[in-house]
PDB file of all heavy atoms in Angstrom:
ATOM      1  N   ALA T   1       0.809  -1.215   0.000  1.00  0.00           N
ATOM      2  CA  ALA T   1       0.000   0.000   0.000  1.00  0.00           C
ATOM      3  C   ALA T   1       0.845   1.270   0.000  1.00  0.00           C
ATOM      4  O   ALA T   1       0.550   2.210  -0.752  1.00  0.00           O
ATOM      5  CB  ALA T   1      -0.957  -0.020   1.187  1.00  0.00           C
ATOM      6  N   PRO T   2       1.914   1.368   0.820  1.00  0.00           N
ATOM      7  CA  PRO T   2       2.749   2.579   0.764  1.00  0.00           C
ATOM      8  C   PRO T   2       3.361   2.812  -0.614  1.00  0.00           C
ATOM      9  O   PRO T   2       3.445   3.955  -1.069  1.00  0.00           O
ATOM     10  CB  PRO T   2       3.825   2.311   1.822  1.00  0.00           C
ATOM     11  CG  PRO T   2       3.198   1.351   2.774  1.00  0.00           C
ATOM     12  CD  PRO T   2       2.342   0.475   1.919  1.00  0.00           C
ATOM     13  N   ALA T   3       3.786   1.730  -1.285  1.00  0.00           N
ATOM     14  CA  ALA T   3       4.390   1.877  -2.610  1.00  0.00           C
ATOM     15  C   ALA T   3       3.371   2.408  -3.615  1.00  0.00           C
ATOM     16  O   ALA T   3       3.687   3.285  -4.438  1.00  0.00           O
ATOM     17  CB  ALA T   3       4.945   0.529  -3.082  1.00  0.00           C
ATOM     18  N   PHE T   4       2.142   1.902  -3.552  1.00  0.00           N
ATOM     19  CA  PHE T   4       1.093   2.391  -4.458  1.00  0.00           C
ATOM     20  C   PHE T   4       0.768   3.860  -4.166  1.00  0.00           C
ATOM     21  O   PHE T   4       0.541   4.648  -5.087  1.00  0.00           O
ATOM     22  CB  PHE T   4      -0.167   1.538  -4.317  1.00  0.00           C
ATOM     23  CG  PHE T   4      -0.081   0.226  -5.038  1.00  0.00           C
ATOM     24  CD1 PHE T   4      -0.179  -0.967  -4.337  1.00  0.00           C
ATOM     25  CD2 PHE T   4       0.090   0.181  -6.418  1.00  0.00           C
ATOM     26  CE1 PHE T   4      -0.103  -2.178  -5.001  1.00  0.00           C
ATOM     27  CE2 PHE T   4       0.172  -1.030  -7.084  1.00  0.00           C
ATOM     28  CZ  PHE T   4       0.078  -2.221  -6.371  1.00  0.00           C
ATOM     29  N   LEU T   5       0.747   4.221  -2.886  1.00  0.00           N
ATOM     30  CA  LEU T   5       0.466   5.614  -2.520  1.00  0.00           C
ATOM     31  C   LEU T   5       1.548   6.542  -3.053  1.00  0.00           C
ATOM     32  O   LEU T   5       1.246   7.615  -3.616  1.00  0.00           O
ATOM     33  CB  LEU T   5       0.360   5.741  -1.004  1.00  0.00           C
ATOM     34  CG  LEU T   5       0.156   7.164  -0.465  1.00  0.00           C
ATOM     35  CD1 LEU T   5      -1.136   7.770  -1.018  1.00  0.00           C
ATOM     36  CD2 LEU T   5       0.152   7.161   1.051  1.00  0.00           C
ATOM     37  N   ILE T   6       2.802   6.157  -2.890  1.00  0.00           N
ATOM     38  CA  ILE T   6       3.908   6.987  -3.383  1.00  0.00           C
ATOM     39  C   ILE T   6       3.850   7.110  -4.898  1.00  0.00           C
ATOM     40  O   ILE T   6       4.021   8.200  -5.461  1.00  0.00           O
ATOM     41  CB  ILE T   6       5.258   6.398  -2.922  1.00  0.00           C
ATOM     42  CG1 ILE T   6       5.389   6.524  -1.405  1.00  0.00           C
ATOM     43  CG2 ILE T   6       6.417   7.102  -3.619  1.00  0.00           C
ATOM     44  CD1 ILE T   6       6.596   5.821  -0.836  1.00  0.00           C
ATOM     45  N   ALA T   7       3.588   5.986  -5.567  1.00  0.00           N
ATOM     46  CA  ALA T   7       3.480   6.026  -7.026  1.00  0.00           C
ATOM     47  C   ALA T   7       2.336   6.930  -7.472  1.00  0.00           C
ATOM     48  O   ALA T   7       2.456   7.685  -8.458  1.00  0.00           O
ATOM     49  CB  ALA T   7       3.291   4.614  -7.570  1.00  0.00           C
ATOM     50  N   PHE T   8       1.235   6.866  -6.758  1.00  0.00           N
ATOM     51  CA  PHE T   8       0.084   7.714  -7.090  1.00  0.00           C
ATOM     52  C   PHE T   8       0.428   9.194  -6.924  1.00  0.00           C
ATOM     53  O   PHE T   8       0.104  10.028  -7.781  1.00  0.00           O
ATOM     54  CB  PHE T   8      -1.098   7.337  -6.191  1.00  0.00           C
ATOM     55  CG  PHE T   8      -2.295   8.229  -6.349  1.00  0.00           C
ATOM     56  CD1 PHE T   8      -3.121   8.124  -7.462  1.00  0.00           C
ATOM     57  CD2 PHE T   8      -2.598   9.170  -5.376  1.00  0.00           C
ATOM     58  CE1 PHE T   8      -4.228   8.954  -7.607  1.00  0.00           C
ATOM     59  CE2 PHE T   8      -3.702   9.996  -5.514  1.00  0.00           C
ATOM     60  CZ  PHE T   8      -4.510   9.893  -6.641  1.00  0.00           C
ATOM     61  N   LEU T   9       1.102   9.543  -5.830  1.00  0.00           N
ATOM     62  CA  LEU T   9       1.481  10.927  -5.586  1.00  0.00           C
ATOM     63  C   LEU T   9       2.471  11.432  -6.636  1.00  0.00           C
ATOM     64  O   LEU T   9       2.385  12.587  -7.082  1.00  0.00           O
ATOM     65  CB  LEU T   9       2.080  11.072  -4.184  1.00  0.00           C
ATOM     66  CG  LEU T   9       1.114  10.831  -3.019  1.00  0.00           C
ATOM     67  CD1 LEU T   9       1.856  10.901  -1.690  1.00  0.00           C
ATOM     68  CD2 LEU T   9      -0.031  11.838  -3.049  1.00  0.00           C
ATOM     69  N   ILE T  10       3.399  10.575  -7.037  1.00  0.00           N
ATOM     70  CA  ILE T  10       4.356  10.961  -8.086  1.00  0.00           C
ATOM     71  C   ILE T  10       3.630  11.209  -9.399  1.00  0.00           C
ATOM     72  O   ILE T  10       3.931  12.166 -10.132  1.00  0.00           O
ATOM     73  CB  ILE T  10       5.444   9.881  -8.247  1.00  0.00           C
ATOM     74  CG1 ILE T  10       6.347   9.859  -7.010  1.00  0.00           C
ATOM     75  CG2 ILE T  10       6.275  10.138  -9.504  1.00  0.00           C
ATOM     76  CD1 ILE T  10       7.364   8.744  -7.013  1.00  0.00           C
ATOM     77  N   ALA T  11       2.660  10.354  -9.700  1.00  0.00           N
ATOM     78  CA  ALA T  11       1.894  10.536 -10.932  1.00  0.00           C
ATOM     79  C   ALA T  11       1.117  11.851 -10.904  1.00  0.00           C
ATOM     80  O   ALA T  11       1.089  12.594 -11.908  1.00  0.00           O
ATOM     81  CB  ALA T  11       0.945   9.355 -11.121  1.00  0.00           C
ATOM     82  N   ILE T  12       0.482  12.159  -9.781  1.00  0.00           N
ATOM     83  CA  ILE T  12      -0.238  13.433  -9.641  1.00  0.00           C
ATOM     84  C   ILE T  12       0.723  14.604  -9.802  1.00  0.00           C
ATOM     85  O   ILE T  12       0.420  15.594 -10.491  1.00  0.00           O
ATOM     86  CB  ILE T  12      -0.954  13.496  -8.286  1.00  0.00           C
ATOM     87  CG1 ILE T  12      -2.054  12.430  -8.201  1.00  0.00           C
ATOM     88  CG2 ILE T  12      -1.528  14.886  -8.049  1.00  0.00           C
ATOM     89  CD1 ILE T  12      -3.161  12.615  -9.208  1.00  0.00           C
ATOM     90  N   TRP T  13       1.872  14.504  -9.165  1.00  0.00           N
ATOM     91  CA  TRP T  13       2.896  15.546  -9.273  1.00  0.00           C
ATOM     92  C   TRP T  13       3.281  15.772 -10.737  1.00  0.00           C
ATOM     93  O   TRP T  13       3.328  16.906 -11.212  1.00  0.00           O
ATOM     94  CB  TRP T  13       4.082  15.123  -8.412  1.00  0.00           C
ATOM     95  CG  TRP T  13       5.358  15.908  -8.592  1.00  0.00           C
ATOM     96  CD1 TRP T  13       5.531  17.113  -9.204  1.00  0.00           C
ATOM     97  CD2 TRP T  13       6.649  15.508  -8.126  1.00  0.00           C
ATOM     98  NE1 TRP T  13       6.846  17.494  -9.165  1.00  0.00           N
ATOM     99  CE2 TRP T  13       7.548  16.536  -8.506  1.00  0.00           C
ATOM    100  CE3 TRP T  13       7.128  14.396  -7.424  1.00  0.00           C
ATOM    101  CZ2 TRP T  13       8.916  16.460  -8.202  1.00  0.00           C
ATOM    102  CZ3 TRP T  13       8.473  14.331  -7.124  1.00  0.00           C
ATOM    103  CH2 TRP T  13       9.355  15.354  -7.512  1.00  0.00           C
ATOM    104  N   TRP T  14       3.541  14.690 -11.442  1.00  0.00           N
ATOM    105  CA  TRP T  14       3.968  14.789 -12.841  1.00  0.00           C
ATOM    106  C   TRP T  14       2.874  15.434 -13.709  1.00  0.00           C
ATOM    107  O   TRP T  14       3.138  16.312 -14.526  1.00  0.00           O
ATOM    108  CB  TRP T  14       4.319  13.400 -13.369  1.00  0.00           C
ATOM    109  CG  TRP T  14       5.295  13.439 -14.513  1.00  0.00           C
ATOM    110  CD1 TRP T  14       5.277  14.253 -15.607  1.00  0.00           C
ATOM    111  CD2 TRP T  14       6.450  12.619 -14.655  1.00  0.00           C
ATOM    112  NE1 TRP T  14       6.323  13.999 -16.427  1.00  0.00           N
ATOM    113  CE2 TRP T  14       7.072  13.005 -15.868  1.00  0.00           C
ATOM    114  CE3 TRP T  14       7.018  11.594 -13.905  1.00  0.00           C
ATOM    115  CZ2 TRP T  14       8.233  12.388 -16.343  1.00  0.00           C
ATOM    116  CZ3 TRP T  14       8.179  10.996 -14.368  1.00  0.00           C
ATOM    117  CH2 TRP T  14       8.775  11.386 -15.574  1.00  0.00           C
ATOM    118  N   ILE T  15       1.642  14.995 -13.491  1.00  0.00           N
ATOM    119  CA  ILE T  15       0.539  15.517 -14.309  1.00  0.00           C
ATOM    120  C   ILE T  15       0.324  17.006 -14.040  1.00  0.00           C
ATOM    121  O   ILE T  15       0.155  17.798 -14.976  1.00  0.00           O
ATOM    122  CB  ILE T  15      -0.755  14.717 -14.021  1.00  0.00           C
ATOM    123  CG1 ILE T  15      -0.609  13.284 -14.541  1.00  0.00           C
ATOM    124  CG2 ILE T  15      -1.964  15.399 -14.653  1.00  0.00           C
ATOM    125  CD1 ILE T  15      -1.732  12.368 -14.100  1.00  0.00           C
ATOM    126  N   VAL T  16       0.346  17.394 -12.756  1.00  0.00           N
ATOM    127  CA  VAL T  16       0.107  18.794 -12.406  1.00  0.00           C
ATOM    128  C   VAL T  16       1.187  19.699 -12.993  1.00  0.00           C
ATOM    129  O   VAL T  16       0.899  20.752 -13.585  1.00  0.00           O
ATOM    130  CB  VAL T  16       0.031  18.957 -10.880  1.00  0.00           C
ATOM    131  CG1 VAL T  16       0.032  20.439 -10.498  1.00  0.00           C
ATOM    132  CG2 VAL T  16      -1.207  18.268 -10.331  1.00  0.00           C
ATOM    133  N   VAL T  17       2.444  19.314 -12.855  1.00  0.00           N
ATOM    134  CA  VAL T  17       3.535  20.137 -13.375  1.00  0.00           C
ATOM    135  C   VAL T  17       3.491  20.186 -14.896  1.00  0.00           C
ATOM    136  O   VAL T  17       3.708  21.243 -15.513  1.00  0.00           O
ATOM    137  CB  VAL T  17       4.898  19.592 -12.887  1.00  0.00           C
ATOM    138  CG1 VAL T  17       6.049  20.362 -13.543  1.00  0.00           C
ATOM    139  CG2 VAL T  17       5.004  19.690 -11.377  1.00  0.00           C
ATOM    140  N   ASP T  18       3.187  19.044 -15.506  1.00  0.00           N
ATOM    141  CA  ASP T  18       3.150  18.998 -16.967  1.00  0.00           C
ATOM    142  C   ASP T  18       2.031  19.887 -17.524  1.00  0.00           C
ATOM    143  O   ASP T  18       2.231  20.609 -18.509  1.00  0.00           O
ATOM    144  CB  ASP T  18       2.957  17.557 -17.427  1.00  0.00           C
ATOM    145  CG  ASP T  18       3.034  17.425 -18.937  1.00  0.00           C
ATOM    146  OD1 ASP T  18       4.097  17.715 -19.500  1.00  0.00           O
ATOM    147  OD2 ASP T  18       2.012  17.042 -19.550  1.00  0.00           O
ATOM    148  N   ARG T  19       0.874  19.857 -16.892  1.00  0.00           N
ATOM    149  CA  ARG T  19      -0.250  20.653 -17.394  1.00  0.00           C
ATOM    150  C   ARG T  19      -0.100  22.145 -17.069  1.00  0.00           C
ATOM    151  O   ARG T  19      -0.599  22.991 -17.816  1.00  0.00           O
ATOM    152  CB  ARG T  19      -1.555  20.124 -16.805  1.00  0.00           C
ATOM    153  CG  ARG T  19      -1.940  18.753 -17.353  1.00  0.00           C
ATOM    154  CD  ARG T  19      -3.344  18.372 -16.957  1.00  0.00           C
ATOM    155  NE  ARG T  19      -3.753  17.109 -17.565  1.00  0.00           N
ATOM    156  CZ  ARG T  19      -4.953  16.563 -17.415  1.00  0.00           C
ATOM    157  NH1 ARG T  19      -5.872  17.170 -16.660  1.00  0.00           N
ATOM    158  NH2 ARG T  19      -5.253  15.420 -17.999  1.00  0.00           N
ATOM    159  N   SER T  20       0.588  22.448 -15.973  1.00  0.00           N
ATOM    160  CA  SER T  20       0.779  23.860 -15.627  1.00  0.00           C
ATOM    161  C   SER T  20       1.870  24.506 -16.458  1.00  0.00           C
ATOM    162  O   SER T  20       1.970  25.735 -16.520  1.00  0.00           O
ATOM    163  CB  SER T  20       1.126  23.992 -14.145  1.00  0.00           C
ATOM    164  OG  SER T  20       2.378  23.385 -13.865  1.00  0.00           O
ATOM    165  N   ASP T  21       2.692  23.664 -17.077  1.00  0.00           N
ATOM    166  CA  ASP T  21       3.791  24.162 -17.916  1.00  0.00           C
ATOM    167  C   ASP T  21       4.666  25.136 -17.124  1.00  0.00           C
ATOM    168  O   ASP T  21       5.056  26.197 -17.620  1.00  0.00           O
ATOM    169  CB  ASP T  21       3.244  24.841 -19.174  1.00  0.00           C
ATOM    170  CG  ASP T  21       4.318  24.986 -20.253  1.00  0.00           C
ATOM    171  OD1 ASP T  21       5.297  24.212 -20.212  1.00  0.00           O
ATOM    172  OD2 ASP T  21       4.191  25.892 -21.097  1.00  0.00           O
ATOM    173  N   SER T  22       4.963  24.769 -15.877  1.00  0.00           N
ATOM    174  CA  SER T  22       5.750  25.637 -14.998  1.00  0.00           C
ATOM    175  C   SER T  22       7.206  25.670 -15.451  1.00  0.00           C
ATOM    176  O   SER T  22       7.822  24.618 -15.661  1.00  0.00           O
ATOM    177  CB  SER T  22       5.672  25.140 -13.551  1.00  0.00           C
ATOM    178  OG  SER T  22       6.562  25.851 -12.730  1.00  0.00           O
ATOM    179  N   PRO T  23       7.795  26.862 -15.608  1.00  0.00           N
ATOM    180  CA  PRO T  23       9.203  26.952 -15.988  1.00  0.00           C
ATOM    181  C   PRO T  23      10.150  26.753 -14.808  1.00  0.00           C
ATOM    182  O   PRO T  23      11.363  26.671 -14.990  1.00  0.00           O
ATOM    183  CB  PRO T  23       9.315  28.384 -16.525  1.00  0.00           C
ATOM    184  CG  PRO T  23       8.294  29.148 -15.746  1.00  0.00           C
ATOM    185  CD  PRO T  23       7.160  28.191 -15.495  1.00  0.00           C
ATOM    186  N   ILE T  24       9.597  26.720 -13.601  1.00  0.00           N
ATOM    187  CA  ILE T  24      10.437  26.640 -12.403  1.00  0.00           C
ATOM    188  C   ILE T  24      10.322  25.283 -11.737  1.00  0.00           C
ATOM    189  O   ILE T  24      11.321  24.602 -11.503  1.00  0.00           O
ATOM    190  CB  ILE T  24      10.063  27.758 -11.404  1.00  0.00           C
ATOM    191  CG1 ILE T  24      10.333  29.133 -12.028  1.00  0.00           C
ATOM    192  CG2 ILE T  24      10.845  27.600 -10.116  1.00  0.00           C
ATOM    193  CD1 ILE T  24       9.956  30.284 -11.127  1.00  0.00           C
ATOM    194  N   PHE T  25       9.075  24.876 -11.424  1.00  0.00           N
ATOM    195  CA  PHE T  25       8.903  23.649 -10.654  1.00  0.00           C
ATOM    196  C   PHE T  25       9.203  22.438 -11.527  1.00  0.00           C
ATOM    197  O   PHE T  25       8.662  22.307 -12.626  1.00  0.00           O
ATOM    198  CB  PHE T  25       7.484  23.553 -10.098  1.00  0.00           C
ATOM    199  CG  PHE T  25       7.394  22.674  -8.884  1.00  0.00           C
ATOM    200  CD1 PHE T  25       7.763  23.155  -7.642  1.00  0.00           C
ATOM    201  CD2 PHE T  25       6.972  21.367  -8.979  1.00  0.00           C
ATOM    202  CE1 PHE T  25       7.685  22.363  -6.516  1.00  0.00           C
ATOM    203  CE2 PHE T  25       6.897  20.558  -7.867  1.00  0.00           C
ATOM    204  CZ  PHE T  25       7.257  21.054  -6.626  1.00  0.00           C
ATOM    205  N   PRO T  26      10.065  21.512 -11.081  1.00  0.00           N
ATOM    206  CA  PRO T  26      10.506  20.388 -11.923  1.00  0.00           C
ATOM    207  C   PRO T  26       9.541  19.210 -11.888  1.00  0.00           C
ATOM    208  O   PRO T  26       8.755  19.046 -10.953  1.00  0.00           O
ATOM    209  CB  PRO T  26      11.839  20.003 -11.295  1.00  0.00           C
ATOM    210  CG  PRO T  26      11.649  20.306  -9.840  1.00  0.00           C
ATOM    211  CD  PRO T  26      10.781  21.537  -9.785  1.00  0.00           C
ATOM    212  N   THR T  27       9.621  18.396 -12.913  1.00  0.00           N
ATOM    213  CA  THR T  27       8.893  17.129 -12.960  1.00  0.00           C
ATOM    214  C   THR T  27       9.685  16.076 -12.188  1.00  0.00           C
ATOM    215  O   THR T  27      10.885  16.267 -11.923  1.00  0.00           O
ATOM    216  CB  THR T  27       8.692  16.654 -14.392  1.00  0.00           C
ATOM    217  OG1 THR T  27       9.981  16.371 -14.959  1.00  0.00           O
ATOM    218  CG2 THR T  27       7.978  17.708 -15.231  1.00  0.00           C
ATOM    219  N   PRO T  28       9.067  14.961 -11.825  1.00  0.00           N
ATOM    220  CA  PRO T  28       9.834  13.890 -11.169  1.00  0.00           C
ATOM    221  C   PRO T  28      11.006  13.415 -12.008  1.00  0.00           C
ATOM    222  O   PRO T  28      12.060  13.080 -11.459  1.00  0.00           O
ATOM    223  CB  PRO T  28       8.783  12.785 -10.993  1.00  0.00           C
ATOM    224  CG  PRO T  28       7.488  13.513 -10.915  1.00  0.00           C
ATOM    225  CD  PRO T  28       7.617  14.665 -11.842  1.00  0.00           C
ATOM    226  N   GLY T  29      10.848  13.396 -13.322  1.00  0.00           N
ATOM    227  CA  GLY T  29      11.954  12.981 -14.187  1.00  0.00           C
ATOM    228  C   GLY T  29      13.141  13.923 -14.086  1.00  0.00           C
ATOM    229  O   GLY T  29      14.304  13.488 -14.037  1.00  0.00           O
ATOM    230  N   GLU T  30      12.877  15.217 -14.049  1.00  0.00           N
ATOM    231  CA  GLU T  30      13.957  16.195 -13.929  1.00  0.00           C
ATOM    232  C   GLU T  30      14.645  16.100 -12.572  1.00  0.00           C
ATOM    233  O   GLU T  30      15.872  16.258 -12.469  1.00  0.00           O
ATOM    234  CB  GLU T  30      13.394  17.602 -14.138  1.00  0.00           C
ATOM    235  CG  GLU T  30      12.933  17.860 -15.565  1.00  0.00           C
ATOM    236  CD  GLU T  30      12.147  19.152 -15.704  1.00  0.00           C
ATOM    237  OE1 GLU T  30      11.625  19.646 -14.675  1.00  0.00           O
ATOM    238  OE2 GLU T  30      12.055  19.653 -16.839  1.00  0.00           O
ATOM    239  N   VAL T  31      13.869  15.832 -11.547  1.00  0.00           N
ATOM    240  CA  VAL T  31      14.445  15.664 -10.214  1.00  0.00           C
ATOM    241  C   VAL T  31      15.365  14.444 -10.180  1.00  0.00           C
ATOM    242  O   VAL T  31      16.483  14.501  -9.648  1.00  0.00           O
ATOM    243  CB  VAL T  31      13.331  15.521  -9.163  1.00  0.00           C
ATOM    244  CG1 VAL T  31      13.917  15.113  -7.802  1.00  0.00           C
ATOM    245  CG2 VAL T  31      12.559  16.823  -9.022  1.00  0.00           C
ATOM    246  N   ALA T  32      14.903  13.344 -10.747  1.00  0.00           N
ATOM    247  CA  ALA T  32      15.717  12.126 -10.783  1.00  0.00           C
ATOM    248  C   ALA T  32      16.989  12.340 -11.597  1.00  0.00           C
ATOM    249  O   ALA T  32      18.072  11.875 -11.210  1.00  0.00           O
ATOM    250  CB  ALA T  32      14.900  10.968 -11.356  1.00  0.00           C
ATOM    251  N   THR T  33      16.881  13.058 -12.706  1.00  0.00           N
ATOM    252  CA  THR T  33      18.050  13.319 -13.548  1.00  0.00           C
ATOM    253  C   THR T  33      19.078  14.170 -12.813  1.00  0.00           C
ATOM    254  O   THR T  33      20.286  13.896 -12.844  1.00  0.00           O
ATOM    255  CB  THR T  33      17.628  14.040 -14.844  1.00  0.00           C
ATOM    256  OG1 THR T  33      16.699  13.212 -15.554  1.00  0.00           O
ATOM    257  CG2 THR T  33      18.831  14.322 -15.727  1.00  0.00           C
ATOM    258  N   GLY T  34      18.603  15.214 -12.118  1.00  0.00           N
ATOM    259  CA  GLY T  34      19.516  16.064 -11.359  1.00  0.00           C
ATOM    260  C   GLY T  34      20.201  15.313 -10.234  1.00  0.00           C
ATOM    261  O   GLY T  34      21.411  15.470 -10.005  1.00  0.00           O
TER     262      GLY T  34
END
């Protein structure tokens, strides 16, 4: 259950940042790359 919750939160994070087209706040992929 914790793993599914974390995955769900990461997915929400990615979708929100992607749709907002924020030039500052990073996506999970950018965070992992950095």
Side-chain angles (χ1 to χ4, degrees):
F4 282 119
L5 176 60
I6 293 173
F8 174 75
L9 293 176
I10 291 174
I12 295 297
W13 168 15
W14 205 315
I15 292 170
V16 170
V17 174
D18 185 63
R19 290 191 176 182
S20 65
D21 197 23
S22 172
I24 297 178
F25 204 80
T27 65
E30 292 169 340
V31 171
T33 300

